[in-house]
Amino acid sequence: GVIYQYTMSTAWDLSTASYSGYSFDTPVTNNTYGIYFKSDGTKLYISDQGNTDQLIYEHDLSTAWRVSTATYNSKILNARAQMSNALNSFSINPTGTKVHAYDYGSGNLYEYDLSTAWDMSTASYNNVNVSLNPSGGSYSGNTPSTFHLDYTTGKLYAMRSERLYEWGGFVTTTLPYSTTATWANGTVNDELYTLQQALSLTNNRM
């Protein structure tokens, strides 16, 4: 499959998109489906949903965010042991230590740990999975086609036909800022110095 890059003159407004002239013809995937960029644009991840594949391939970008500079680095996440049919969409948490991969065939979302952040070759299945099949109504039991996981709020959204389903409190143990911080009490009656005291504690920094 070929990935084409577009530029939007107004951020987030698809009506202002124009083709940038950059593209990437994936050299290793048979059935390219999902793509994901590292937050700094230096890595590109592509899922292959073929029946004998169930893989996520990792690529390095020599120029951040420019797909034409992508190079496959031979690192993969292999989900064949868990997936029954089609690894189509996936998500990576902001710290690059968790991958959530969705199997369209079973409707299950699987969680993987990365011992080295952003390195697919260090991924291991951690025996955490959940069904995204919606319950109730005429769409009960029909697997969604894709999903989006918001790691800040813990909400998950899954699309099935013309319906969008929402879950709350999803995989909360994987959220990067879900732990409770130990805050410092201010000892001076001054906002600036109290803030400096608070930031002197590592737990108070984001």
Side-chain angles (χ1 to χ4, degrees):
V2 181
I3 299 173
Y4 296 95
Q5 180 174 330
Y6 292 79
T7 300
M8 287 178 283
S9 56
T10 301
W12 302 102
D13 187 344
L14 288 177
S15 66
T16 68
S18 60
Y19 178 49
S20 66
Y22 302 120
S23 63
F24 176 58
D25 191 352
T26 60
V28 288
T29 55
N30 295 313
N31 294 277
T32 303
Y33 197 97
I35 65 172
Y36 194 96
F37 284 90
K38 185 182 176 184
S39 55
D40 63 2
T42 60
K43 285 188 178 292
L44 169 64
Y45 304 89
I46 304 173
S47 64
D48 193 334
Q49 70 157 352
N51 289 341
T52 60
D53 298 302
Q54 320 303 331
L55 306 171
I56 297 176
Y57 296 92
E58 179 181 325
H59 303 73
D60 295 319
L61 277 68
S62 57
T63 300
W65 299 109
R66 184 172 295 179
V67 295
S68 59
T69 68
T71 303
Y72 173 50
N73 62 14
S74 299
K75 296 179 179 180
I76 62 170
L77 182 156
N78 189 334
R80 288 173 183 159
Q82 293 78 47
M83 304 284 177
S84 64
N85 186 278
L87 193 175
N88 58 4
S89 53
F90 66 98
S91 183
I92 306 174
N93 74 342
T95 58
T97 57
K98 298 275 187 183
V99 174
H100 295 96
Y102 175 63
D103 179 20
Y104 176 70
S106 66
N108 290 335
L109 183 68
Y110 296 90
E111 182 174 281
Y112 299 82
D113 293 324
L114 275 65
S115 57
T116 300
W118 303 105
D119 187 338
M120 290 293 120
S121 67
T122 69
S124 60
Y125 176 51
N126 65 10
N127 295 310
V128 173
N129 69 85
V130 66
S131 174
L132 297 188
N133 287 327
S135 59
S138 59
Y139 284 82
S140 178
N142 291 325
T143 57
S145 56
T146 189
F147 81 98
H148 172 76
L149 180 55
D150 186 329
Y151 289 95
T152 301
T153 64
K155 289 185 179 294
L156 182 142
Y157 305 90
M159 177 66 71
R160 171 61 185 172
S161 297
E162 74 275 16
R163 295 195 179 189
L164 182 67
Y165 297 89
E166 176 182 324
W167 284 264
F170 226 87
V171 289
T172 53
T173 57
T174 69
L175 299 181
Y177 307 121
S178 62
T179 56
T180 301
T182 303
W183 294 95
N185 293 322
T187 58
V188 292
N189 190 24
D190 184 283
E191 290 182 2
L192 174 61
Y193 291 113
T194 299
L195 181 59
Q196 288 177 339
Q197 281 184 323
L199 293 180
S200 69
L201 289 182
T202 302
N203 283 345
N204 291 353
R205 301 174 190 163
M206 288 190 292

